[in-house]
């Protein structure tokens, strides 16, 4: 069982880091205002406004930014400013024992998936798959996206059913297991590395953006051949945003691909979760037990904080 970090309280100091691509400063500023509205104070990482090509500073600087916030006892949570690319480049530069000794909230999604996997496995810590702070700066962010930050202030179960979004059963059944995963591309990127995702007896979450069906097919096929689908016990399928065919106009639909890969496995699987690259982005803790019921169409998630 993974360690759950301590919950936040109004007045706490949190850190905001750029571990991937530099954030849009205008949107980041709006996102920081939301953190303030929650009663939080924030400290910005040194690399927030750095640019090294498409990265927010050098790999070593980004890793040190993160580690300094882990070491600082006054900082109670670490939020990622942005996604993009680059988190995997700092994964082998982080001292995971440091985080195990100083467990605290770590929050982000998309490219950050690589670090969720690494931290979960090497620091044995529950982390949070939720919107980056700069993504909160978009004008069309629904209130429910923001409200999901409230789960950090007190232990609370999350119950996601069809009242939140239309859910589709890809394969029936019920299962309980630990939730892992996130962005499909970054999950596949972990294969063959020391950070390779462990799906054995886990419920796997997947989502992505900007992939045409043929690319989704390619990634799911690689997960299948790596036996990651076979080893998992259930599947939570989030948004596949902007997934229109381009190179292959005669491609199957995303739903058809999901049915091909998950409908034949004989394991509970549901799609339609608003988790990922959409204005409605429901934040969930990774590394906690969930109950996935594809018959009654709900996902029950244990608290991510203590």
């Amino acid at each position: 069982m993974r360690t759950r970090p301590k919950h936040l309280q109004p007045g706490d100091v949190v850190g905001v880091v750029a571990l991937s691509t530099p954030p849009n400063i205008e949107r980041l500023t709006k996102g920081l205002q939301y953190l303030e509205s929650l009663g939080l104070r924030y400290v910005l990482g040194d690399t927030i406004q750095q640019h090294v090509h498409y990265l927010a500073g050098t790999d070593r600087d980004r890793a040190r930014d993160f580690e300094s916030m882990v070491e600082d006892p006054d900082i109670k949570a670490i939020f990622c400013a942005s996604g993009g690319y680059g988190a995997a480049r700092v994964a082998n530069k982080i001292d995971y024992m440091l985080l195990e000794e100083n467990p605290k909230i770590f929050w982000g999604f998309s490219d950050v998936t690589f670090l969720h996997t690494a931290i979960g496995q090497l620091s044995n810590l529950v982390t949070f798959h939720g919107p980056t702070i700069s993504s909160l700066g978009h004008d069309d962010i629904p209130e429910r996206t923001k409200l999901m930050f409230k789960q950090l202030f007190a232990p609370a179960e999350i119950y996601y059913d069809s009242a939140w979004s239309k859910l589709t059963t890809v394969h029936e059944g019920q299962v309980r297991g630990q939730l892992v995963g996130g962005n499909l591309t970054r999950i596949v990127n972990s294969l063959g590395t020391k950070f390779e995702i462990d799906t054995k007896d886990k419920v796997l979450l997947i989502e992505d953006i900007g992939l045409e069906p043929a690319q989704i097919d390619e990634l799911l096929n690689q997960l299948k051949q790596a036996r990651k689908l076979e080893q998992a016990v259930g599947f939570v399928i989030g948004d596949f945003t902007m997934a229109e065919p381009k190179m292959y106009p005669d491609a199957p639909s995303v739903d058809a691909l999901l049915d091909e890969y998950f409908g034949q496995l004989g394991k509970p699987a549901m799609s339609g979760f608003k988790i990922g690259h959409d204005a409605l982005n429901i934040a969930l803790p990774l590394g906690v037990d969930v109950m996935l019921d594809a018959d009654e169409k709900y996902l029950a998630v244990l608290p991510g904080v203590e």
Side-chain angles (χ1 to χ4, degrees), residues 4 150-159 285 301-306:
R4 291 185 301 164
K150 296 292 182 67
Q151 67 184 286
L152 302 179
F153 289 85
E157 293 188 13
I158 296 170
Y159 185 83
V301 185
L302 289 179
V305 296
E306 66 174 20

Side-chain angles (χ1 to χ4, degrees), residues 5 20 23 29 41 47 79 97 130 135 173 184 203 215 254 291 297:
S20 306
T29 300
R41 296 174 291 156
T47 63
F79 294 97
M97 184 63 70
S135 70
L184 177 60
V203 176
Q215 293 171 305
V254 173
M291 172 63 73
K297 294 186 179 180

Side-chain angles (χ1 to χ4, degrees), residues 116 121 180 217 259 305:
H116 282 310
Q121 294 178 176
V180 299
D217 185 359
D259 184 63
V305 296

Side-chain angles (χ1 to χ4, degrees), residues 139-198:
D139 295 332
D140 60 345
I141 296 297
E143 193 61 26
R144 191 184 292 274
T145 295
K146 296 180 178 179
L147 287 175
M148 298 308 296
F149 282 80
K150 296 292 182 67
Q151 67 184 286
L152 302 179
F153 289 85
E157 293 188 13
I158 296 170
Y159 185 83
Y160 193 137
D161 63 10
S162 296
W164 289 20
S165 64
K166 181 183 178 182
L167 299 175
T168 300
T169 297
V170 181
H171 192 281
E172 66 277 359
Q174 310 91 27
V175 71
R176 178 169 176 158
Q178 189 182 100
L179 186 67
V180 299
N183 181 261
L184 177 60
T185 298
R186 299 301 177 236
I187 292 170
V188 171
N189 287 163
S190 78
L191 300 181
T193 74
K194 67 179 180 181
F195 309 105
E196 180 170 315
I197 192 168
D198 175 15

Side-chain angles (χ1 to χ4, degrees), residues 177-227:
Q178 189 182 100
L179 186 67
V180 299
N183 181 261
L184 177 60
T185 298
R186 299 301 177 236
I187 292 170
V188 171
N189 287 163
S190 78
L191 300 181
T193 74
K194 67 179 180 181
F195 309 105
E196 180 170 315
I197 192 168
D198 175 15
T199 63
K200 184 172 174 54
D201 300 325
K202 307 290 197 302
V203 176
L204 180 63
L205 163 67
I206 60 170
E207 65 83 35
D208 220 313
I209 183 172
L211 300 178
E212 63 176 303
Q215 293 171 305
I216 297 170
D217 185 359
E218 176 187 359
L219 295 171
L220 290 176
N221 183 56
Q222 190 164 350
L223 275 187
K224 178 181 179 180
Q225 293 188 345
R227 302 184 64 190

